[in-house]
Amino acid sequence: CIYFPLVLPAPEQLTVDSVDTTSAAVSWSQPPGLDQTQHHYQISYRCPGTEPHITTTSSHNITLSDLQPATEYSVTVCTVLENGKQSQLVLTTLTTVPPAPDQLTVDTTSGTVSWNQPPGLDQTQHHYQISYHCPGTKPHYTTTSSHSITLSDLQGGTQYSVTVCTVLENGKKSKPVSTTLTTVHFQWWKRPSRVAAVCVLLAVIIGLWVSYATVERDQLQNSLNTRTTERDQLQNSLNTRTTERDQ
């Protein structure tokens, strides 16, 4: 005859081995006393507000697939005999990893890094953490809720390592996405900001010079007019005296 335990032992040491964006690996130990008894395991997993997914395996581990990113799941495992008898449920929870930013690109001229929103986060509050550094220096960290950021205080002609990851409100992070950014080696006169400053300075200098030259010209003209008037007065006085003498 086939022996069936009165109390069917449940799986032991239920653990979550790894979690990815849309999958997770779960394992457990074989229940004691079932070495000679045919059995398998029933696994059920669900996220809040959904119907449970149910699957079976004769192994001591399983990879759950087609999960939603950045979502918490309840997972139960029980032992099942050939006659359908089930053990008590063993429960664990897991949260899938947030998806990483997509299509990370850089603009070496402006130092701007941009990316696409990760899929599956339309209704989930999140932001992005950016880290950048050049060799031999500590990384700078900054955050943004936008899909692009312009990095400041970069040195010209220098290669930077840049990583971006998605961060949920609970602090859970995605895997980082990395790229490199090599800044353009600007000469001082080629820097847009300095070119604008130099142009403004030159315009001010030219304006002041023109204004000063105009004032000088007017003063010289007034002086010339005064001297001309004085000359004409002297000439008239000389003419008058000459006429009086001749008479």
Side-chain angles (χ1 to χ4, degrees), residues 169-184:
E169 284 189 317
N170 61 5
K172 196 172 184 64
K173 299 179 181 180
S174 72
K175 293 180 179 179
V177 180
S178 300
T179 187
T180 58
L181 185 157
T182 302
T183 55
V184 177

Side-chain angles (χ1 to χ4, degrees), residues 86-130:
Q86 297 182 355
S87 72
Q88 291 185 340
L89 300 176
V90 181
L91 172 68
T92 189
T93 60
L94 60 89
T95 302
T96 51
V97 177
D102 192 23
Q103 297 182 3
L104 190 62
T105 59
V106 298
D107 185 334
T108 58
T109 302
S110 63
T112 299
V113 183
S114 58
W115 55 89
N116 291 341
Q117 176 173 298
L121 291 184
D122 295 338
Q123 306 300 322
T124 305
Q125 291 293 324
H126 64 282
H127 61 273
Y128 305 98
Q129 178 179 284
I130 300 91

